[in-house]
Amino acid sequence: MPVSFQAPKRGDKDKNKTVSQSNESNLAQDTATVQDVLTKKGDTVFSIRPEDTLGQAVELLSEKHIGALVVTDANGELKGILSERDIVRKLAQTPGKTLPHKTEQVMTSNVETCTRQESLISVLSRMTEGRFRHMPVVENNRLFGIVTIGDVVNYRLVELEYEALQLKQLVVG
Ligand code: AMP
């Protein structure tokens, strides 16, 4: 005799849960990596040199509609990161005299980086904890791109929308 669906009751054991109800299966969907974002957005990274001025930096930030620049030396090695936040802070400290300062005087030298294999969940949690929104992708001193908190959140949103659409199609047929 066919048995209709029974909603789980409080006394039920965990092992009676279906696959979609377990934590394991829900977390398994979160295995998207930095490489997935780079594949979508490309590997373009806008950079400046430590000796370049903040005046040059704001021009580039404004022209490219971005919030941060990576700072590299003549060999392309990562020396720091300069975000709009650093410039705003300097503006408050040195009103009217900010733009001639060199980037190396204002940038953050201790840069946190990620690899292409790192999961988006891990990158998102490091960004949230460190209170920054940009993460250069570096492996063996080579720059592979940069991901922003916006890229990561947006990637996940599109994924969720796609999953919702698939579920809808499954239900509607
Ligand atoms: P943001 O939120 O990215 O505009 O940056 C906020 C502050 O964190 C600024 O002082 C940046 O120089 C710094 N910052 C940005 N990205 C990083 C990073 N990946 N590692 C370390 N510091 C960073």
Side-chain angles (χ1 to χ4, degrees):
M1 190 173 140
V3 181
S4 60
F5 172 75
Q6 293 286 311
K9 296 188 204 76
R10 199 174 297 151
D12 288 354
K13 291 262 160 49
D14 254 14
K15 63 180 167 56
N16 291 336
K17 283 184 174 177
T18 68
V19 171
S20 66
Q21 289 169 332
S22 74
N23 264 348
E24 290 73 20
S25 65
N26 289 337
L27 291 175
Q29 290 163 7
D30 290 329
T31 50
T33 63
V34 168
Q35 180 59 58
D36 293 323
V37 169
L38 292 182
T39 302
K40 211 171 143 222
K41 78 173 273 198
D43 57 4
T44 306
V45 182
F46 295 106
S47 62
I48 46 166
R49 296 281 168 82
E51 61 275 13
D52 287 341
T53 64
L54 294 188
Q56 289 170 289
V58 293
E59 265 179 40
L60 196 55
L61 287 170
S62 159
E63 184 190 316
K64 304 298 180 191
H65 305 284
I66 52 174
L69 296 163
V70 298
V71 187
T72 52
D73 66 11
N75 302 319
E77 201 174 307
L78 184 67
K79 292 289 162 191
I81 189 160
L82 179 77
S83 104
E84 52 199 1
R85 290 251 172 109
D86 301 314
I87 300 171
V88 168
R89 195 180 311 123
K90 198 70 184 169
L91 277 169
Q93 291 165 353
T94 57
K97 291 181 260 174
T98 306
L99 297 184
H101 280 95
K102 287 190 174 163
T103 294
E104 62 195 349
Q105 298 174 281
V106 182
M107 68 187 190
T108 301
S109 308
N110 199 2
V111 187
E112 271 199 51
T113 64
C114 63
T115 65
R116 289 170 295 174
Q117 291 74 40
E118 189 165 341
S119 75
L120 293 185
I121 286 288
S122 160
V123 169
L124 197 56
S125 95
R126 285 167 63 202
M127 281 177 166
T128 310
E129 208 151 290
R131 291 170 181 272
F132 51 79
R133 297 164 294 178
H134 300 85
M135 189 86 98
V137 187
V138 178
E139 286 167 43
N140 301 321
N141 281 340
R142 205 185 129 194
L143 206 52
F144 283 91
I146 186 164
V147 292
T148 70
I149 205 159
D151 295 331
V152 177
V153 170
N154 194 41
Y155 188 90
R156 189 64 191 127
L157 272 182
V158 171
E159 257 190 346
L160 285 172
E161 270 172 22
Y162 182 66
E163 282 168 24
L165 187 71
Q166 278 184 319
L167 280 176
K168 220 185 228 172
Q169 281 171 347
L170 207 69
V171 173
V172 178

